[in-house]
């Protein structure tokens, strides 16, 4: 999909139906990069016996995008085809569920998630970037991808971000979805109000 063909906005009728956003992790919340290393487990650790270390880079702006969706009543869950402690740590920080499965089983996991929410695929937005996401994207009411997704995913996406994965794409999607629902201005105002000194004093008194 070329820039000229890119949808300027998410269709309001599709946006208003979304009740769940399923987000891929690698290539969507990250830039697909991995930082691999090893750490000694104790004095005299032999070469090759170190504990493996893995780090991923997440864009902090995406966290706020996820928070805006959740506060607007849209459930957000992460669905990754590559189990990783870094993904688990980020999900805990964001306070959203993370499902980590083998890449070939993402559809089965997604079906279980939808069943748990009592939703149909028409109620779901999926944000993916690679071949393992195709079965989900083909079924989703709102299939979304990032600017640097593989061609096969770009070809079937209903909407794509201008940002690459791991570079604020999820924040861009969240704001576009809320804008299409007519809820963005209110969500941003509520976020700002909740963080004013007066609001914090109210929370303190209530506690």
């Amino acid at each position: 999909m070329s820039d000229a063909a890119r949808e300027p906005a998410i269709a309001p009728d599709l946006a208003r139906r979304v009740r769940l956003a399923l987000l891929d992790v690698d290539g969507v919340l990250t830039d697909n990069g991995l930082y691999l290393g090893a750490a000694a487990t104790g004095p005299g650790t032999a070469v090759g016996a170190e504990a493996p270390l893995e780090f991923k880079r997440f864009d902090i702006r995406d966290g706020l995008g996820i928070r805006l969706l959740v506060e607007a009543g849209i459930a957000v869950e992460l669905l990754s085809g590559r189990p990783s402690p870094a993904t688990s740590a980020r999900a805990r920080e964001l306070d959203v569920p993370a499902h980590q499965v083998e890449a070939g089983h993402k559809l089965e996991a997604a079906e279980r998630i939808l069943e748990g929410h009592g939703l149909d695929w028409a109620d779901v937005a999926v944000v993916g970037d690679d071949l393992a996401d195709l079965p989900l994207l083909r079924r989703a009411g709102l299939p979304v991808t990032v600017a640097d997704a593989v061609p096969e995913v770009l070809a079937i996406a209903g909407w794509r971000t201008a940002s690459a994965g791991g570079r604020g794409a999820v924040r861009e999607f969240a704001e576009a979805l809320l804008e299409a629902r007519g809820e963005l201005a209110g969500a941003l105002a509520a976020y700002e109000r909740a963080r004013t000194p007066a609001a914090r004093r109210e929370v303190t008194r209530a506690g």
Side-chain angles (χ1 to χ4, degrees):
M1 184 183 297
S2 68
D3 285 340
R6 176 172 169 263
E7 292 291 334
I10 296 174
D13 58 330
L14 296 178
R16 284 191 289 267
R17 177 141 192 187
V18 172
R19 296 174 60 192
L20 168 68
L22 281 180
L23 309 179
D24 181 34
V25 177
D26 296 319
V28 171
L29 284 166
T30 80
D31 60 4
N32 259 330
L34 290 176
Y35 303 90
L36 298 176
T41 56
T45 301
V47 175
E50 302 95 338
L53 292 176
E54 177 182 296
F55 299 94
K56 297 181 181 183
R57 177 193 178 279
F58 294 91
D59 194 308
I60 201 72
R61 294 171 295 179
D62 289 337
L64 178 52
I66 289 172
R67 183 52 41 204
L68 291 173
L69 291 177
V70 171
E71 291 180 358
I74 299 170
V76 177
E77 304 203 16
L78 311 186
L79 179 54
S80 176
R82 185 180 182 280
S84 165
T87 295
S88 300
R90 183 58 170 153
R92 286 194 299 271
E93 184 180 45
L94 296 171
D95 194 25
V96 296
H99 310 269
Q100 302 183 68
V101 299
E102 297 301 325
H105 300 283
K106 292 183 80 170
L107 180 57
E108 296 171 22
E111 294 279 9
R112 289 194 296 270
I113 294 169
L114 268 65
E115 183 178 356
H117 285 277
L119 299 176
D120 298 323
W121 277 105
D123 306 315
V124 180
V126 171
V127 187
D129 75 303
D130 212 339
L131 300 181
D133 302 312
L134 284 173
L136 283 67
L137 291 164
R138 293 189 194 281
R139 290 166 172 79
L142 179 57
V144 176
T145 193
V146 296
D148 56 341
V150 299
E152 293 85 352
V153 169
L154 289 170
I156 67 166
W159 192 80
R160 75 170 172 91
T161 65
S163 305
R167 300 290 177 179
V170 170
R171 172 70 168 275
E172 182 184 343
F173 158 69
E175 293 191 354
L177 182 65
L178 293 175
E179 177 70 27
R181 291 162 66 99
E183 300 172 1
L184 180 59
L188 295 177
Y191 177 85
E192 183 176 355
R193 283 196 306 272
R195 285 150 184 83
T196 62
R200 289 196 293 270
R201 286 194 295 271
E202 285 295 325
V203 170
T204 301
R205 285 198 294 269

